Amino acid sequence: MPVQFLPKILVVDDDKLICWALNREFVSLNITTHIVETAADALAELRNDSFDLVFLDIHLPDGNGIELLEEVRRISPNAKIAIMSSDASEMNQEKAFTGGALQFLEKPLDLSEIHGILKSTLGEHADKRKHPRHICRIPIRISIVEPTPEEAQYDLHNLSGMMAEIGPGGLKLRTEYPLRVGQHIRARADSENEHFPKFVPPGSCAEVVWVAPAQDGVVAGLKFVNGTTPA
């Protein structure tokens, strides 16, 4: 991951295994990393030093990470904050984003999601995207719009996939189906999800902009087209 400066990250979590894994990953990328296990120690670190990015767990021994957001932002207004929790309920996500968190990471953590946050906040393309994206794990169903004659012999209106990022301008997804650049799709949530229709209203069409191979299929980036982007 290319960076333009030497960033500094604060990890706040009492799970020693997670702290070890994140510290190991960040150090391998030449990122200065501080690890603390409590809310009190986190606030002390923020008062004594400046950080570019804070990974903040919800359930801390002496407090709640979401309730800590206001104080973190007051002490360090320029720091980007990613909330971490195994409880990724819609209520927790809503409170986290309302409180100023940039991302909500569901445990167990996925290193690809961690790298996505680093790239969007610290990398050479940081803050250049017109519409912000939220990292997520939303099961979806995909329909291929205007399939080729060869594809049309198959049922392409109920393909499975996983939404990895979502925002007003587009989305990133993973699927076993071999999507192609230039292809158009429609996506719907596999189950009821409060956040999905905010970004992907019924009938929205998205164009595949890029495709990369993945272990279980492909990962693809898409942009909304035909005026379907929500206001």
Side-chain angles (χ1 to χ4, degrees):
M1 179 204 67
V3 293
Q4 297 172 313
F5 59 96
L6 294 178
K8 191 175 295 184
I9 289 178
L10 176 64
V11 176
V12 188
D13 199 325
D14 62 334
D15 187 319
K16 290 181 171 55
L17 181 58
I18 286 179
C19 290
W20 173 83
L22 291 179
N23 183 66
R24 179 183 179 185
E25 191 68 20
F26 297 154
V27 169
S28 72
L29 297 170
N30 294 319
I31 297 175
T32 300
T33 309
H34 291 218
I35 306 290
V36 296
E37 298 184 1
T38 67
D41 287 343
L43 295 179
E45 285 284 345
L46 290 165
R47 291 188 182 100
N48 291 329
D49 206 344
S50 60
F51 293 89
D52 303 289
L53 185 56
V54 179
F55 287 89
L56 178 60
D57 185 39
I58 289 182
H59 302 293
L60 299 170
D62 59 343
N64 181 289
I66 291 178
E67 296 174 358
L68 203 66
L69 279 170
E70 183 177 357
E71 184 68 6
V72 171
R73 294 182 65 209
R74 186 188 68 79
I75 297 173
S76 188
N78 294 324
K80 305 292 194 306
I81 307 169
I83 287 289
M84 306 183 294
S85 179
S86 56
D87 181 5
S89 66
E90 292 185 8
M91 179 180 294
N92 275 344
Q93 292 187 49
E94 188 70 31
K95 288 181 178 180
F97 292 133
T98 301
L102 178 71
Q103 298 288 356
F104 192 108
L105 290 172
E106 183 178 353
K107 293 180 178 180
L109 299 181
D110 184 327
L111 281 180
S112 67
E113 295 176 350
I114 298 293
H115 280 268
I117 291 179
L118 297 181
K119 182 177 179 180
S120 65
T121 58
L122 306 178
E124 59 180 345
H125 302 296
D127 299 323
K128 291 184 180 180
R129 176 173 277 158
K130 182 178 179 181
H131 300 289
R133 297 274 184 92
H134 293 301
I135 289 174
C136 59
R137 299 179 194 174
I138 302 176
I140 58 172
R141 291 291 169 176
I142 303 166
S143 297
I144 304 298
V145 179
E146 297 182 354
T148 65
E150 182 181 357
E151 292 175 315
Q153 60 184 308
Y154 304 104
D155 179 9
L156 301 180
H157 298 291
N158 197 35
L159 302 171
S160 62
M162 180 70 71
M163 191 83 72
E165 292 183 12
I166 188 171
L171 54 94
K172 184 169 78 173
L173 60 81
R174 301 175 186 275
T175 180
E176 294 181 352
Y177 188 77
L179 295 173
R180 304 185 311 275
V181 171
Q183 206 164 30
H184 289 74
I185 72 158
R186 287 190 169 89
R188 64 186 186 278
D190 198 19
S191 58
E192 186 175 347
N193 184 283
E194 180 180 334
H195 298 292
F196 189 87
K198 294 179 181 178
F199 297 107
V200 190
S204 294
C205 185
E207 178 183 351
V208 179
V209 177
W210 59 265
V211 179
Q215 185 175 3
D216 54 351
V218 299
V219 57
L222 299 92
K223 65 177 181 180
F224 294 119
V225 295
N226 298 336
T228 57
T229 305

